Amino acid sequence: MSTKMPVYFVSHGGPNLLDDTEYPPDRSIGKGLRAIGDEIRSLTPRGMVVISGHWEAGRTSLLVNGKSGFPQPLIYDFYGFPAEYYKQQFPHQVDPQLTQQLVNMFTNANVDIEAVDRGLDHGVWVVLKKAGLDNAPFPIVQLSLYHNDSMDMHLLMGAVLEPLRDQGIVIVGSGMAVHNLRDLFGSPSVRPYVKPFDKEIERAVLDNSGDRKNKVAMLSESKFLRQAHPSLEHLMPLHVAVGAAGTDRAKKLLEAYQLSLSWSCYRFGNL
């Protein structure tokens, strides 16, 4: 097994992802996410750094949780769901030393960053719980995105994280390959922009010519971009993941389309 940890991009959905009737564990989405969780557990990482589409800091500054070393209450940042989802728990560890290491790395890269105490948002805990990573034997630290739409800045953000992979840290970008909640209701068919944009991502991410970062950045020019992502915060974790992946090859682990969503997931690097 390689000592260098892989990078993942996962599509996370809403809290109803935890409903085994709606997302059965033996069907593509539930089964695929659980396989990713089992794979991560098998790697026995020293820790995990997660970047979610639900936490943006400043335009040129970042935040990272875990300052005090005590897990904070979960953030239930969703609305209109049954009461049971607001009672969900996700037992996990934190690591203030890993948090401080992230502060040091970004400070050395001339990026303003601050350690804070903040719970995990649903872009982290829901998908990791579906993946079976509650009570994981390693700490989970969440890092924010920038509050901007710069694909280049988020690629560079990932590049700062890449050295952690040689220190036993798994990096996970959690967003959605296609995320248009405005179009989620109405017609039961998959929206016409979903698969084309997903395939643009796939071609860029699986590119092995050495030009992957540029091709992922060029998603900004896609004619489907603003239909697939009316706002870009759920796409930016992909760019962080690609930045952290360096030149490691990618593999598509999950492909599933649902109305105005794509659930595509990727792994970068060998096991």
Side-chain angles (χ1 to χ4, degrees), residues 150-212:
S150 171
M151 296 183 181
D152 288 333
M153 284 184 68
H154 286 93
L155 285 163
L156 289 170
M157 175 182 164
V160 174
L161 295 173
E162 185 179 4
L164 290 173
R165 299 172 57 202
D166 290 313
Q167 301 169 38
I169 305 300
V170 170
I171 298 165
V172 178
S174 176
M176 289 291 287
V178 176
H179 182 260
N180 185 333
L181 298 185
R182 301 174 189 172
D183 288 351
L184 194 56
F185 305 99
S187 169
S189 61
V190 173
R191 307 302 181 250
Y193 52 80
V194 172
K195 187 172 181 179
F197 189 72
D198 184 74
K199 289 302 178 181
E200 287 187 8
I201 291 175
E202 180 181 305
R203 287 190 292 272
V205 167
L206 299 184
D207 180 83
N208 292 314
S209 69
D211 198 31
R212 178 171 61 198

Side-chain angles (χ1 to χ4, degrees), residues 56 59-60 145-157 216-217 220 226 232-233 235-237 239-240:
E56 297 174 291
R59 292 190 61 80
T60 60
L145 296 166
Y146 294 112
H147 186 52
N148 68 45
D149 290 344
S150 171
M151 296 183 181
D152 288 333
M153 284 184 68
H154 286 93
L155 285 163
L156 289 170
M157 175 182 164
V216 171
S220 64
R226 288 298 177 174
L232 300 189
E233 74 286 340
L235 185 60
M236 290 305 171
H239 290 74
V240 179

Side-chain angles (χ1 to χ4, degrees), residues 30-53:
K31 185 177 181 179
L33 291 173
R34 183 57 188 241
I36 291 170
D38 290 345
E39 188 172 284
I40 291 173
R41 277 188 182 270
S42 74
L43 295 168
T44 61
R46 181 172 70 84
M48 175 187 287
V49 174
V50 190
I51 303 92
S52 155

